[in-house]
Amino acid sequence: MANTTGSSAINHAELQELVKNYTCSDVALLLPVISEFTWAVEVRAFLYLLGLLWCFLAVAIIADVFMCSIERITSKTTIVRVPDANAEGGIRELEVKVWNDTVANLSLLALGTSAPEILLSCIEIIGNGFKAGELGPGTIVGSAAFNLLVISAICIVAIPEGEIRRIRSFKVFGVTAFTCIFAYVWLAIVLMAISPNVVDLWEAIVTFLMFPTLIIVAYIADKDFCMKKSKREEPGFVGISLEDKDTEERQPGPSSDENVRGDAELLTLAKELGHIEELPEEEAAKIAAKKIAENTSHNRGWYRINATRFFSGGKKLVPRVLTSFQDLYERIQLPEDERADHAKSITKNIDHSDGGRRPVIEFTAAAVAVMENEGKVRIGIRRHGKLDVPVTVRVETINGTALAGEDYKPFDEKVKFAANEILRQIYIEIVDDCEWEPDEFFFVKMAAEPDVDVAFGNIAICQVTIINDDEPGLLEFAKPSIVVKESSRLASIPVSRRNGADGHVSVTWKTKDITALNNKDYEGGEGTLKFDNQETSKTIDLPIFESNKPERDESFQIELLETDGGATLGKITKCIITIVNDEEFNGLVSRIVSLTKANLDSLQLEKSTYVTQFKDAMNVNGGDIENATFIDYILHFCTFFWKILFAFVPPTQYLGGWPTFIISLAVIGFLTAIIGDLATIFGCLIGLEKTITAITLVALGTSMPDTFASKTAATMEKYADSSVGNVNGSNSVNVFLGLGLPWVIASIYWTAKGDVFKVEAGSLGFSVVLYTVAAIIAISLFITRRFLGAFGKGELGGPNITKWISGAIMISLWVLYVVFSSLQAKKIINVQF
């Protein structure tokens, strides 16, 4: 009995031990929080992978908040008074940025994009009792390899064919490229040469101090303090326009001249959109805001935030345009001179078919003429749009000066189009009364039948003129004066052919300035207007140029001079054209401008309140449901919990954004600790070494927002600085802060205890060497692409063949890095240094 009890006690103790120490239960810092002893390993692995991906989204969302606080902090401006003889009082005030762009990019912005990797390394060392871990350093090296090789490859091939992007601040790029390689060379020297497998306190301090040293050297290079000042390059390559950034005061505190230029550009764009019929004001404002947002230069942080909001189904920093208006947006993207050439087509080409969903019926001509002795007139009716259904339309005549029964036989019949039939003709009888009469006219119009879904085109009424026999006629203006609204962009001056339409005739014309000036207010000159046989009406079309005058009342004259073909001039040979403002159109333009400014203002990162934060968090696509996609809804559902939770973080408008900065950094630190545990346990469950987990899964997860951000920046920006120019700086900061800071902390701890801080080089040292070799090749390729014509003389883009070859080289280097690092970690190969 005693033996049985003892045996039970032993079994119970063993069971308790098993419950506490099951597979991968003691490899992490905080997890698991409950016993998973009874869970299958496969289920645990799946749940940990799912949790890891979910936490990656959480870190991306809180990093969005963190980057907004950095944007707020680095956008701080101050007023500087400078002497200016042309300014009132001899002093001009400039609003300049407090933060230098280079310093901001390499300090706070680099910290924002690299915060998860840096905090993961710090938390791992502290959580391990100040002993070196594998996950943090492996993630830093793995992220650096992914950023430099994969992201750069994507940016190279993403540039449209025939375009390139060059790095503008090449001196700063040179500094960061050198430090990007030197940082990892230094890391290898510390781990494998100076004091193998040990990091002394002085080595840790030197590593950490390289971070401020990098900022200082990059700032000196940016300001050319130690070099001869040279004019910045302005290469003539294709790219999206970018505001001048030669001086810091140009952003975000622009001068009054730049504000004027910006307002003028917005006004011009609003007028372009205002001319497009059937375009709602709200959509016109979205199109304008999208164009301005895409064509404005942004820093890397802005692109990182926009990419994060794509992953979370949040409010985008570039407004979306409805698919039905996408073609208009693409047309607006053309250069201004090309848009002017398309102005007429923009106004005229209206899609009555609702995207091909409705049949459209119209006459083939707006006016026809018939000789009285011909007996009948032929009227053409055409169909377009939806063609695969039968359509019926009613056609009827209406009296003008010609009377039904006396001058023509009335017509009121249904005209039927069979499926896929596109052209029909009707004939209207003309009465020949054998008496001379002046030219007379009547109208033929269309009417819809009940329960028939049909749309009418631009020519729904046709004028029929009955002409006296055998006379070429006389030519004259229809009116002695006309008034043209500036918004019409075109003065259409009608010329009539009366009392005959036999044969081909022509008349010359010439314009004369009065108060309107040729080539300034309108495009005039001289020309010849030709009439075909039986053609009775033509127009002289003269382009009208827009003016920003609040009141416009300008005029010019056009005169008919000589005729040909037997025709003679009528009484009205001169016509005065007066150009006036269009108050209704101006009001429309003003509303579009106001809506556009409101849209742009809502996109400002630093302008948020608790109300707007919770509104954006609770609504898909930030409340813009109309433009939300199915993917937006899925991602919004997956991240809803995190959005609501992080909406409690103070808005950036408080205390210059610093409370947001501190709290969001703390949240990132906590989430990074969770990610470290999830990745460690997941790797343990599937038999994956920490080093492999770090350089693949964790590195890719933390770098994914940067991938989309860099790709967008590469295509939208005129220069490559925001896409790949800052990658080297971030990689350097990862080493100097991500390893330097925890090394300093751990070295101080072990020095105080009279011991040394041990860091086994192992697979990390091999991985560092591999990355260094790949980085040297990648940087060399960038420099080669910049100076060789075969690559287009640009770091990004260029000829299709060479850009894809460059991308393939970069991707191949990353694949080789991962493969050989994994083989070393698995001890399949064992390379010793």
Side-chain angles (χ1 to χ4, degrees):
M1 187 75 178
N3 292 336
T4 303
T5 304
S7 177
S8 299
I10 293 172
N11 291 337
H12 182 69
E14 290 177 350
L15 182 61
Q16 282 187 325
E17 185 65 22
L18 285 174
V19 170
K20 290 181 181 179
N21 298 293
Y22 51 91
T23 304
C24 303
S25 63
D26 58 350
V27 295
L29 179 64
L30 301 176
L31 299 179
V33 293
I34 61 173
S35 175
E36 302 169 3
F37 173 68
T38 59
W39 299 8
V41 172
E42 294 80 4
V43 173
R44 291 177 64 200
F46 174 76
L47 291 178
Y48 274 100
L49 177 61
L50 201 64
L52 186 62
L53 297 176
W54 195 46
C55 286
F56 279 145
L57 290 175
V59 168
I61 294 170
I62 191 61
D64 177 345
V65 179
F66 186 54
M67 293 298 296
C68 286
S69 70
I70 293 174
E71 189 76 17
R72 172 73 173 183
I73 293 168
T74 58
S75 65
K76 184 179 180 180
T77 60
T78 186
I79 301 298
V80 175
R81 294 161 60 88
V82 298
D84 188 347
N86 298 323
E88 184 178 354
I91 297 294
R92 182 160 61 105
E93 292 186 348
L94 293 177
E95 186 180 9
V96 301
K97 293 181 68 173
V98 174
W99 284 77
N100 171 268
D101 289 334
T102 299
V103 174
N105 283 335
L106 291 177
S107 56
L108 291 182
L109 286 177
L111 176 61
T113 57
S114 303
E117 295 95 325
I118 296 171
L119 291 175
L120 178 61
S121 183
C122 294
I123 291 170
E124 184 183 36
I125 278 188
I126 296 173
N128 284 345
F130 299 97
K131 295 179 181 179
E134 297 179 23
L135 194 64
T139 300
I140 287 176
V141 181
S143 294
F146 186 86
N147 292 345
L148 180 60
L149 302 175
V150 178
I151 292 180
S152 297
I154 293 172
C155 291
I156 288 173
V157 301
I159 306 301
E161 184 178 358
E163 298 185 19
I164 64 169
R165 303 289 188 271
R166 287 168 67 91
I167 292 175
R168 192 182 194 196
S169 302
F170 194 68
K171 293 176 183 176
V172 175
F173 174 78
V175 172
T176 56
F178 171 77
T179 56
C180 172
I181 296 174
F182 173 75
Y184 292 89
V185 171
W186 169 254
L187 189 58
I189 292 173
V190 168
L191 293 177
M192 296 180 289
I194 300 177
S195 53
N197 300 320
V198 172
V199 175
D200 293 328
L201 179 59
W202 73 268
E203 293 173 329
I205 293 175
V206 168
T207 303
F208 180 74
L209 290 180
M210 286 181 181
F211 171 60
T213 303
L214 167 64
I215 296 175
I216 294 171
V217 174
Y219 178 75
I220 292 173
D222 181 52
K223 290 300 183 181
D224 288 325
F225 287 155
C226 299
M227 298 169 236
K228 182 180 178 181
K229 188 72 176 180
S230 59
K231 186 178 180 180
R232 287 186 183 268
E233 285 185 270
E234 294 294 343
F237 54 83
V238 180
I240 300 171
S241 63
L242 177 69
E243 63 182 352
D244 188 0
K245 295 171 75 173
D246 285 348
T247 56
E248 293 164 41
E249 65 260 29
R250 302 215 177 190
Q251 59 166 293
S255 66
S256 59
D257 291 339
E258 288 172 326
N259 280 328
V260 170
R261 288 197 299 271
D263 291 342
E265 180 183 358
L266 175 57
L267 182 61
T268 301
L269 187 58
K271 287 182 177 180
E272 294 278 352
L273 296 168
H275 284 293
I276 304 174
E277 297 182 26
E278 300 183 359
L279 177 63
E281 297 174 17
E282 296 79 7
E283 286 303 317
K286 286 182 180 178
I287 291 174
K290 179 178 174 66
K291 176 178 171 58
I292 292 173
E294 288 188 343
N295 288 7
T296 301
S297 177
H298 305 286
N299 60 30
R300 186 175 180 83
W302 186 92
Y303 289 105
R304 169 68 183 254
I305 294 170
N306 193 49
T308 298
R309 295 185 182 182
F310 169 80
F311 281 110
S312 62
K315 184 178 182 180
K316 311 301 185 295
L317 298 183
V318 176
R320 280 179 176 164
V321 177
L322 290 177
T323 305
S324 54
F325 298 110
Q326 189 63 33
D327 58 334
L328 295 177
Y329 173 72
E330 292 173 357
R331 189 175 296 173
I332 289 298
Q333 285 292 87
L334 294 172
E336 189 172 345
D337 54 346
E338 294 184 33
R339 296 207 308 266
D341 294 337
H342 286 79
K344 188 173 180 180
S345 63
I346 291 175
T347 307
K348 299 285 185 180
N349 296 337
I350 302 171
D351 183 12
H352 297 280
S353 68
D354 192 20
R357 291 188 288 270
R358 302 180 66 193
V360 180
I361 308 295
E362 64 180 351
F363 292 113
T364 57
V368 297
V370 59
M371 304 302 293
E372 191 178 60
N373 62 359
E374 288 187 7
K376 60 183 176 180
V377 60
R378 183 180 62 184
I379 308 294
I381 305 174
R382 63 188 172 201
R383 171 190 182 186
H384 56 91
K386 186 177 178 62
L387 301 176
D388 57 355
V389 294
V391 175
T392 300
V393 65
R394 179 171 293 278
V395 179
E396 57 186 352
T397 54
I398 301 175
N399 286 339
T401 57
L403 303 177
E406 296 182 10
D407 301 303
Y408 68 94
K409 297 287 184 70
F411 186 94
D412 186 358
E413 297 180 8
K414 296 179 180 179
V415 177
K416 297 181 179 180
F417 283 81
N420 297 313
E421 189 176 14
I422 61 174
L423 186 64
R424 290 295 306 273
Q425 294 176 342
I426 63 171
Y427 292 89
I428 301 174
E429 291 191 35
I430 304 299
V431 177
D432 188 358
D433 53 14
C434 300
E435 296 180 6
W436 185 91
E437 292 177 310
D439 295 346
E440 297 176 313
F441 63 89
F442 65 94
F443 300 99
V444 184
K445 71 180 289 289
M446 295 179 181
E449 286 291 287
D451 301 325
V452 176
D453 184 21
V454 64
F456 295 124
N458 293 329
I459 310 175
I461 298 178
C462 177
Q463 177 179 317
V464 181
T465 303
I466 305 172
I467 302 172
N468 185 35
D469 302 347
D470 304 325
E471 294 289 337
L474 57 86
L475 304 176
E476 64 180 358
F477 289 115
K479 298 178 181 179
S481 65
I482 61 173
V483 176
V484 178
K485 292 182 178 180
E486 181 187 64
S487 61
S488 66
R489 293 182 171 183
L490 202 67
S492 296
I493 307 151
V495 179
S496 300
R497 184 181 186 182
R498 306 182 188 280
N499 300 335
D502 184 39
H504 298 271
V505 299
S506 63
V507 61
T508 59
W509 56 267
K510 185 176 183 180
T511 61
K512 179 182 178 182
D513 294 347
I514 301 178
T515 55
L517 303 179
N518 184 23
N519 293 327
K520 180 180 179 183
D521 299 305
Y522 72 100
E523 185 178 323
E526 56 187 39
T528 301
L529 187 66
K530 296 180 180 180
F531 287 78
D532 291 332
N533 183 41
Q534 296 193 9
E535 194 170 18
T536 61
S537 179
K538 297 278 282 188
T539 60
I540 301 173
D541 295 331
L542 302 178
I544 300 298
F545 300 143
E546 291 182 342
S547 168
N548 292 324
K549 298 176 183 177
E551 297 292 337
R552 191 173 188 185
D553 184 3
E554 299 162 337
S555 58
F556 64 94
Q557 175 184 283
I558 185 170
E559 182 179 4
L560 300 179
L561 300 175
E562 298 179 358
T563 61
D564 190 19
T568 59
L569 291 176
K571 293 182 179 180
I572 309 175
T573 59
K574 295 181 180 180
C575 181
I576 303 296
I577 296 89
T578 303
I579 308 170
V580 298
N581 291 108
D582 186 344
E583 295 301 328
E584 181 180 353
F585 177 75
N586 289 344
L588 172 64
V589 171
S590 178
R591 292 192 297 274
I592 292 176
V593 169
S594 298
L595 286 171
T596 302
K597 289 184 176 179
N599 286 338
L600 292 172
D601 190 60
S602 67
L603 300 177
Q604 296 298 314
L605 297 177
E606 66 272 12
K607 294 183 178 180
S608 63
T609 63
Y610 270 118
V611 173
T612 57
Q613 284 186 177
F614 277 97
K615 178 183 175 182
D616 291 343
M618 298 181 69
N619 292 283
V620 63
N621 202 27
D624 186 11
I625 298 176
E626 186 179 20
N627 291 304
T629 64
F630 176 73
I631 298 298
D632 286 333
Y633 279 97
I634 297 297
L635 294 173
H636 177 69
F637 173 77
C638 294
T639 58
F640 184 78
F641 170 77
W642 297 120
K643 287 182 177 180
I644 296 297
L645 180 63
F646 299 149
F648 286 97
V649 176
T652 56
Q653 67 175 357
Y654 298 129
L655 301 178
W658 285 105
T660 314
F661 178 88
I662 295 170
I663 294 176
S664 57
L665 183 61
V667 174
I668 291 174
F670 175 75
L671 285 173
T672 300
I674 299 297
I675 286 176
D677 283 4
L678 290 169
T680 300
I681 296 175
F682 173 74
C684 175
L685 289 171
I686 65 174
L688 205 61
E689 282 73 7
K690 284 188 177 182
T691 299
I692 301 176
T693 304
I695 66 173
T696 54
L697 190 61
V698 182
L700 265 65
T702 56
S703 298
M704 201 53 62
D706 283 322
T707 305
F708 284 86
S710 295
K711 189 263 182 185
T712 306
T715 55
M716 285 178 55
E717 290 286 329
K718 183 177 180 180
Y719 298 98
D721 299 71
S722 293
S723 52
V724 298
N726 293 329
V727 168
N728 292 326
S730 296
N731 288 349
S732 303
V733 172
N734 279 352
V735 171
F736 299 150
L737 273 184
L739 292 181
L741 181 59
W743 280 2
V744 168
I745 296 172
S747 297
I748 292 175
Y749 175 83
W750 289 108
T751 300
K753 293 177 69 75
D755 205 343
V756 294
F757 176 42
K758 296 179 180 179
V759 180
E760 296 293 333
S763 57
L764 175 62
F766 180 68
S767 180
V768 168
V769 172
L770 282 179
Y771 167 78
T772 303
V773 173
I776 293 173
I777 297 173
I779 297 299
S780 300
L781 180 59
F782 271 129
I783 296 174
T784 302
R785 288 181 54 83
R786 182 180 181 88
F787 294 104
L788 279 190
F791 296 95
K793 291 190 175 183
E795 285 83 358
L796 306 182
N800 268 341
I801 295 177
T802 54
K803 81 176 181 182
W804 282 102
I805 290 175
S806 300
I809 292 173
M810 294 280 201
I811 295 293
S812 299
L813 288 173
W814 180 74
V815 171
L816 291 173
Y817 161 79
V818 172
V819 169
F820 282 106
S821 295
S822 301
L823 292 175
Q824 176 79 4
K826 285 283 189 181
K827 301 188 185 306
I828 297 175
I829 62 175
N830 186 18
V831 180
Q832 300 292 334
F833 293 96

